[in-house]
């Protein structure tokens, strides 16, 4: 077995390495570029809304799981606001409601987004959600695949 010793990066090195990853941010993804250029059709926009909605409803579930295992009371007190921001509270419907309204604004039924097990497959097929033409990026600039 080989042993490797790592030395922590300096603040400057960390900042430089982090900023070098900017090209991996979602705003640079070919789909986002096409959307921002107005080159996606209505079905592709609906597919994006459905995908993003699913991501958004997963955030408070993930946050609740993290909180349930967090031993630090002060961290839990601060972190819980993320759940409230998404799920809402009395008098403030939260971010998930805003995504439901966006879905309606692009012509989707609420039930297509909220039905148990729905990934909007009845409303939008995967083939119709993907752009047919996208800018090419080199493999070197593409973010690594998630398992």
């Amino acid at each position: 077995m080989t042993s490797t010793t790592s030395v922590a990066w300096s603040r400057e090195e960390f900042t430089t390495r982090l900023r070098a990853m900017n090209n991996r941010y979602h705003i640079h993804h070919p789909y986002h570029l096409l959307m921002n250029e107005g080159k996606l059709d209505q079905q592709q926009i609906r597919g994006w809304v459905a995908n993003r909605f699913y991501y958004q409803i997963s955030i408070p579930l993930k946050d609740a799981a993290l909180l349930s295992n967090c031993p630090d009371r002060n961290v839990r007190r601060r972190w819980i606001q993320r759940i409230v921001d998404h799920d809402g509270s009395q008098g403030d419907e939260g971010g998930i409601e805003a995504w439901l309204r966006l879905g309606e604004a692009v012509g989707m039924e609420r039930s297509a987004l909220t039905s148990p097990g729905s990934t909007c497959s009845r409303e939008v097929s995967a083939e119709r959600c993907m752009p047919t033409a996208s800018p090419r990026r080199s493999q070197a600039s593409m973010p690594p695949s998630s398992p």
Side-chain angles (χ1 to χ4, degrees), residues 31 35 40-53 102-109 113 119-120 123-124 128-129:
Y31 200 89
M35 182 172 60
L40 299 182
D41 65 28
Q42 189 175 29
Q43 285 300 107
Q44 291 167 329
I45 295 294
R46 287 177 181 165
W48 177 82
V49 170
N51 180 278
R52 190 69 183 183
F53 177 78
L102 178 61
E104 290 175 325
V106 299
M108 300 177 78
E109 297 288 329
L113 293 169
T119 56
C120 303
E123 181 83 18
V124 181
R128 296 185 69 195
C129 294

Side-chain angles (χ1 to χ4, degrees), residues 51-121:
N51 180 278
R52 190 69 183 183
F53 177 78
Y54 180 78
Y55 169 76
Q56 293 295 322
I57 63 172
S58 298
I59 292 172
L61 300 175
K62 179 261 310 169
D63 287 342
L66 287 171
L67 282 175
S68 72
N69 288 301
C70 179
D72 188 317
R73 181 178 182 203
N74 290 323
V75 169
R76 290 192 312 267
R77 284 177 168 174
R78 287 189 317 244
W79 201 274
I80 199 165
Q81 186 58 48
R82 290 175 47 93
I83 296 171
V84 175
D85 290 344
H86 280 82
D87 282 345
S89 61
Q90 189 69 30
D92 176 13
E93 293 304 313
I96 291 174
E97 177 62 25
W99 281 96
L100 287 167
R101 290 179 186 161
L102 178 61
E104 290 175 325
V106 299
M108 300 177 78
E109 297 288 329
R110 258 178 196 252
S111 62
L113 293 169
T114 60
S115 296
S118 172
T119 56
C120 303
S121 57

Side-chain angles (χ1 to χ4, degrees), residues 18-37:
L18 184 61
R19 287 190 176 144
M21 299 177 94
N22 180 53
N23 66 332
R24 295 181 179 184
Y25 197 61
H26 75 277
I27 61 171
H28 303 295
H29 189 279
Y31 200 89
H32 265 267
L33 296 175
L34 290 170
M35 182 172 60
N36 290 329
E37 293 169 2

Side-chain angles (χ1 to χ4, degrees), residues 9-20:
W9 296 327
S10 67
R11 180 179 298 266
E12 294 77 25
E13 177 71 10
F14 175 79
T15 301
T16 299
R17 287 178 179 246
L18 184 61
R19 287 190 176 144

